[in-house]
Amino acid sequence: MRSYNLYHYCIPVDSQLILRNRFLKKREGLLVQVKCGENEGWGEIAPLPEFSQETLEQAQRQTIDWLKKWDQARSCDEKLPLKDDELYPSVAFGLSCALAEMKHELGSQGNYQVAPLCYGDPDELYEPLSQMIGEKVAKIKVGMYEANRDGLIADMLLEAIPDLHLRLDANRSWTPTKAAMFAKYIKPAYRSRIQFLEEPCKTRDESRQFAEEFGIAIAWDESVREPDFVVQAEPHVAAIVIKPTLVGSLEKCVKLIEQAHACGLKAVISSSIESSFGLTQLARIAQQYTPNTVPGLDTLDLMAYQIVRTWQGSTLPVIDLDSTFIVKVAI
Ligand SMILES: O=C(O)CCC(=O)c1ccccc1C(=O)O
Ligand SMILES: [Mg+2]
């Protein structure tokens, strides 16, 4: 009556996606299925190269190991705890999602609103923004080209679209001087329409000083995954970004969300370039735990296909478990 399965997927992604100057050509991961009688749940385990510490092979081995122990424990009517300090983040996240689905703890409704993501060409934003209902919010990756150019583009968009709010992400790429070059282009009257700028500088202290000096709100992303990080209210800090595949179990993510909300910060559930399968689960998590915040999940279009579960409104082709891009893992 109890069973589990593991599937490996590998799908092409568009190489315009730049992850720290590295082009990603394919995205690989695992889908895990757990079943107990009538109940079943699924999760996605997809370490992101350059961001995750674990490789897919390591994640796969640990997943199989955990599933075997889980099955054994359950057959003795015992529980096997899912411990974040013993599992890789991607494994803890995927397994915890599968268990939560199986126990009907994850709602079916998702928040499919997205902050359209722009990787450099601001013209890409006009069309999706004109279609948006409700809060108009877009996200621009900055810090890859000239800081002046980034500032010019952000200022221009804020001027052209008066009800637009922007999220910006610098991935710690600026020195204080570069960050200041960016900020000087943003007219002071527009600065409050920057919801947040993720990690402008190399260190948290430099980012804090930048926020203080220019009155631009910031958010923590990379910092959230560092061991010494504590969620706390700070001047000019508006949000924490949570990428569950890089953080760990659903329980750990929910704790972070609760801590953020308790000190008045937004918690933004965000993509680690999961497949449509994982992204829809993240949309459901966002709906359930951060219902008033647009999640950062606009990464599906980087992929050539959706797998198994589809993103609301997406016209990308869908492939199933029997496609050649998905292979059942022998356990
Ligand atoms: O957070 C988002 O809005 C989209 C996802 C994203 O930007 C991202 C995705 C994978 C790895 C790193 C990043 C990043 O925040 O730079
Ligand atoms: Mg970021």
Side-chain angles (χ1 to χ4, degrees), residues 48 51 139 141 169 171 198 221 243 270-273 296:
L48 182 62
F51 287 82
K139 179 166 177 178
K141 291 272 176 191
D169 189 357
N171 294 114
E198 293 174 32
D221 176 5
K243 292 184 166 66
S270 170
S271 150
S272 312
I273 334 276

Side-chain angles (χ1 to χ4, degrees), residues 237-251:
V237 174
I240 62 167
V241 173
I242 300 173
K243 292 184 166 66
T245 288
L246 307 180
V247 166
S249 71
L250 185 55
E251 291 70 25

Side-chain angles (χ1 to χ4, degrees), residues 93 97 106-114 242 244 250 269-271 274-298 309-312:
F93 176 60
C97 280
L106 194 57
S108 59
Q109 243 202 325
N111 185 349
Y112 295 100
Q113 274 180 296
V114 290
I242 300 173
L250 185 55
I269 297 295
S270 170
S271 150
E274 292 83 354
S275 75
S276 68
F277 196 104
L279 287 176
T280 58
Q281 238 166 8
L282 290 166
R284 289 159 63 196
I285 293 168
Q287 176 65 27
Q288 190 158 332
Y289 298 103
T290 62
N292 303 317
T293 302
V294 177
L297 300 177
D298 189 29
R309 293 183 185 173
T310 57
W311 184 269
Q312 206 176 81

Side-chain angles (χ1 to χ4, degrees), residues 17-300:
L17 168 64
I18 303 164
L19 295 169
R20 295 199 194 144
N21 307 319
R22 183 178 178 276
F23 288 81
L24 201 65
K25 293 274 183 215
K26 57 179 191 173
R27 187 72 175 105
E28 281 185 282
L30 302 167
L31 300 182
V32 59
Q33 177 196 35
V34 291
K35 261 188 183 172
C36 243
E38 297 290 283
N39 301 313
E40 73 171 82
W42 289 76
E44 176 166 337
I45 297 168
L48 182 62
E50 307 272 302
F51 287 82
S52 297
Q53 311 281 309
E54 69 275 21
T55 64
L56 185 60
E57 290 66 36
Q58 289 173 315
Q60 178 169 318
R61 251 179 279 130
Q62 195 181 62
T63 302
I64 293 172
D65 194 46
W66 193 90
L67 287 168
K68 286 186 172 160
K69 284 192 198 143
W70 171 75
D71 190 33
Q72 256 167 20
R74 295 306 293 139
S75 62
C76 314
D77 214 22
E78 283 164 16
K79 287 201 160 172
L80 182 68
L82 206 143
K83 291 191 180 146
D84 277 289
D85 52 0
E86 291 173 4
L87 296 172
Y88 299 123
S90 62
V91 174
F93 176 60
L95 287 173
S96 66
C97 280
L99 295 177
E101 263 194 8
M102 190 177 70
K103 295 187 261 179
H104 307 287
E105 291 168 356
L106 194 57
S108 59
Q109 243 202 325
N111 185 349
Y112 295 100
Q113 274 180 296
V114 290
L117 194 54
C118 161
Y119 291 94
D121 178 4
D123 288 347
E124 288 163 12
L125 283 178
Y126 287 105
E127 160 67 16
L129 283 172
S130 69
Q131 309 266 322
M132 247 170 135
I133 26 175
E135 191 190 359
K136 267 197 183 129
V137 49
K139 179 166 177 178
I140 310 176
K141 291 272 176 191
V142 294
M144 288 192 294
Y145 307 100
E146 286 299 300
N148 295 330
R149 181 180 183 272
D150 288 333
L152 209 63
I153 287 172
D155 183 72
M156 184 194 75
L157 280 168
L158 290 167
E159 178 150 321
I161 310 171
D163 55 346
L164 174 68
H165 290 261
L166 281 182
R167 294 175 179 179
L168 304 166
D169 189 357
N171 294 114
R172 295 185 166 173
S173 52
W174 286 329
T175 59
T177 314
K178 285 225 169 127
M181 275 163 55
F182 160 83
K184 283 180 182 149
Y185 277 90
I186 315 288
K187 289 178 201 77
Y190 298 159
R191 290 182 190 173
S192 64
R193 282 200 282 133
I194 296 178
Q195 265 188 359
F196 51 75
L197 164 51
E198 293 174 32
E199 309 255 0
C201 301
K202 304 227 185 308
T203 69
R204 274 180 240 167
D205 272 337
E206 286 174 353
S207 289
R208 289 182 180 110
Q209 275 163 29
F210 164 85
E212 170 70 33
E213 183 176 346
F214 295 100
I216 292 176
I218 56 170
W220 302 129
D221 176 5
E222 287 84 350
S223 295
V224 176
R225 276 123 42 199
E226 290 178 337
D228 64 336
F229 182 77
V230 256
V231 182
Q232 57 187 356
E234 296 184 70
H236 306 289
V237 174
I240 62 167
V241 173
I242 300 173
K243 292 184 166 66
T245 288
L246 307 180
V247 166
S249 71
L250 185 55
E251 291 70 25
K252 185 173 178 183
C253 295
V254 170
K255 261 188 209 131
L256 280 170
I257 294 167
E258 286 170 352
Q259 287 169 358
H261 290 171
C263 54
L265 298 175
K266 270 193 206 310
V268 183
I269 297 295
S270 170
S271 150
S272 312
I273 334 276
E274 292 83 354
S275 75
S276 68
F277 196 104
L279 287 176
T280 58
Q281 238 166 8
L282 290 166
R284 289 159 63 196
I285 293 168
Q287 176 65 27
Q288 190 158 332
Y289 298 103
T290 62
N292 303 317
T293 302
V294 177
L297 300 177
D298 189 29
T299 56
L300 181 60

